[in-house]
Amino acid sequence: MPRAVVAGGAAIVTKGIELAVHSHRKAQLLLTVRGIITCEADKGVWIVPPRCAVWIPGNLPHSMTAAGEVEVYWLFVEPDAASALPRQCCTLSISPLLEHLLLHVTEMPVLYDIDGADGRIATVLLDQLSRAPVDKLNFPMPADTKLRKIAAALMADPSDRATMDEWSQRTSIAPRTLARILQRETGMSFGRWRQQLHILFALRRLTQGASVQAVAVELGYEGASAFVTMFRKAMGKPPARYLAERQIDS
């Protein structure tokens, strides 16, 4: 389409969504209004809770899944119009203003009048999108084969509290070597890397309706207070407040 942006959306989908690996010439934004989606792209797993969106640069292979009830909207952006936006996959925090702009664009004609009101709204949308804060809601996937096995094991059982020394024994990698490779490929220490997975797992389960106590147990914490403390330190606020601020008015 010969326009800077093209948008669309799926109203509430109760059976979830699953899209296999694919790519687009245009950059894409996926906005979650209800529910939570998971996107795999750019050597990472990206979790998108309500009032957040994942930004996917053009020609980047990615897949997307969502379980249960979700409401998702998408925006395609021409490469020339996305020069001020991130060049890597990331999650963006969506303000109420930006959310309303995105939803409005989904209702505009595909071939909207570039010089008219719709064209001006598209320009404001791109400007606001370029200013959106980046949220750290991804779990980096290392390229190293043994580290990917650790990642897969942690994703399959996030309650596994094995230390780095114990993982070193399981994978036959010296602790210092394991730490060095992980830092080089993810930019994180082992503890921070696993904590990031816990945050993403918690967001998914809490959005699905699980209690804080249940999530704490599923992640292997001694109690809800220990889990809430970890979440607050990492995200700046407790989980209940974090999610409450991302709910839209019905």
Side-chain angles (χ1 to χ4, degrees), residues 18-174:
E18 183 172 350
L19 297 177
V21 177
H22 61 287
S23 63
H24 317 280
R25 180 185 65 83
K26 296 182 179 183
Q28 183 181 26
L29 185 82
L30 289 169
L31 167 68
T32 306
V33 174
R34 286 185 177 85
I36 192 166
I37 65 173
T38 301
C39 182
E40 293 192 33
D42 202 16
K43 299 179 180 179
V45 178
W46 308 82
I47 300 295
V48 191
R51 277 254 170 93
C52 278
V54 61
W55 171 255
I56 306 167
N59 298 313
L60 181 67
H62 60 280
S63 63
M64 191 268 282
T65 59
E69 184 176 288
V70 293
E71 185 175 356
V72 181
Y73 295 86
W74 55 85
L75 179 77
F76 289 105
V77 182
E78 278 289 338
D80 291 345
S83 58
L85 287 157
R87 297 188 178 183
Q88 295 180 328
C89 190
C90 64
T91 46
L92 301 175
S93 182
I94 304 299
S95 68
L97 170 61
L98 185 50
E99 182 179 289
H100 285 305
L101 287 168
L102 284 164
L103 296 181
H104 179 84
V105 172
T106 65
E107 298 176 354
M108 286 171 21
V110 175
L111 295 175
Y112 58 83
D113 183 359
I114 297 175
D115 298 319
D118 287 343
R120 291 191 290 273
I121 287 176
T123 299
V124 173
L125 167 63
L126 291 173
D127 179 66
Q128 290 296 311
L129 195 57
S130 68
R131 300 165 183 257
V134 174
D135 273 340
K136 297 179 179 179
L137 296 177
N138 70 303
F139 180 59
M141 292 294 287
D144 182 86
T145 303
K146 290 186 176 181
L147 285 181
R148 289 186 71 88
K149 290 182 179 179
I150 296 176
L154 289 174
M155 292 174 71
D157 181 14
S159 67
D160 190 334
R161 308 296 291 182
T163 65
M164 189 170 69
D165 286 343
E166 290 171 325
W167 279 112
S168 174
Q169 294 176 358
R170 295 180 188 180
T171 57
S172 300
I173 304 177

